[in-house]
Amino acid sequence: MRFAAIILALLLSAPTMAHQLKASVTTVLFNKRTNNIELMHRFYLHDTEHAVEHLFDGNADILSNKEDQKRFADYVESHIALQTLGGKPLELKDVGAQVDGKFFWVYQEVTIPEGIHGIRMSNGALRDLWPAQVNMVNIEGKGKVKTLTFSQDDTWLEARFESVNPE
């Protein structure tokens, strides 16, 4: 009986614990076909709804108001930066944003610089609102996938690419 009560308590508390972690995932794709570095930032829609309440007036509607979606995308873009390993800024361009199911996506891109051997990145989106926010970045298209994890006091992290033998 006691075991059943514990299981019942865990099942009832699971929905409240299901989304305690504040996290986002970004894919940085080196796309050889377009010759662009493409950034795709994915946020839980639930987090974006709470964020716009803090960032904008209480009447912001991230679900259906394109202006509010653009404002949130602009906020995200203002907290993302890329550089070469030598510190040269890579000027990211806004590509767009969208609501897709339970996620909010923000897209950016920049032309791949010649001879790039790695990148430095800053990803502070939502970390000014929630210090426990974790922003994970997967870098693809330059050898093995590299992962950067922004948490606590991380501001700039870097990924170096392995030398790839010509085909």
Side-chain angles (χ1 to χ4, degrees):
M1 182 67 175
R2 185 174 174 166
F3 180 72
I6 291 171
I7 296 298
L8 181 61
L10 286 173
L11 289 174
L12 291 174
S13 66
T16 60
M17 294 175 12
H19 190 71
Q20 294 295 321
L21 177 66
K22 300 285 189 197
S24 74
V25 176
T26 294
T27 299
V28 175
L29 175 64
F30 282 76
N31 188 332
K32 293 176 188 170
R33 186 181 53 79
T34 63
N35 197 40
N36 284 329
I37 303 172
E38 301 169 356
L39 283 73
M40 297 154 276
H41 311 285
R42 186 187 80 182
F43 298 89
Y44 282 103
L45 192 54
H46 177 79
D47 292 346
T48 62
E49 289 174 313
H50 286 282
V52 297
E53 289 175 9
H54 294 284
L55 294 169
F56 315 128
D57 62 44
N59 297 324
D61 178 9
I62 194 80
L63 289 173
S64 56
N65 185 316
K66 295 291 184 191
E67 174 85 14
D68 290 338
Q69 291 175 7
K70 174 73 171 121
R71 286 172 43 190
F72 183 74
D74 290 345
Y75 160 82
V76 170
E77 292 164 358
S78 73
H79 286 76
I80 305 292
L82 278 185
Q83 296 178 348
T84 64
L85 291 176
K88 179 184 177 206
L90 301 176
E91 300 299 325
L92 295 165
K93 291 177 254 166
D94 169 25
V95 177
Q98 70 176 3
V99 173
D100 181 28
K102 64 180 180 179
F103 299 110
F104 188 84
W105 292 85
V106 178
Y107 305 101
Q108 297 175 285
E109 68 182 8
V110 63
T111 302
I112 300 173
E114 284 191 43
I116 191 162
H117 299 290
I119 59 168
R120 290 175 34 92
M121 183 172 187
S122 178
N123 184 340
L126 299 181
R127 295 180 66 217
D128 53 339
L129 295 177
W130 301 300
Q133 172 78 21
V134 174
N135 295 331
M136 187 176 78
V137 177
N138 292 319
I139 303 164
E140 302 175 7
K142 281 292 206 180
K144 292 180 183 175
V145 174
K146 304 279 187 202
T147 300
L148 306 176
T149 304
F150 292 87
S151 62
Q152 298 176 348
D153 295 330
D154 294 330
T155 53
W156 286 92
L157 298 176
E158 69 178 43
R160 295 181 179 271
F161 309 135
E162 300 94 18
S163 297
V164 178
N165 295 329
E167 297 177 13

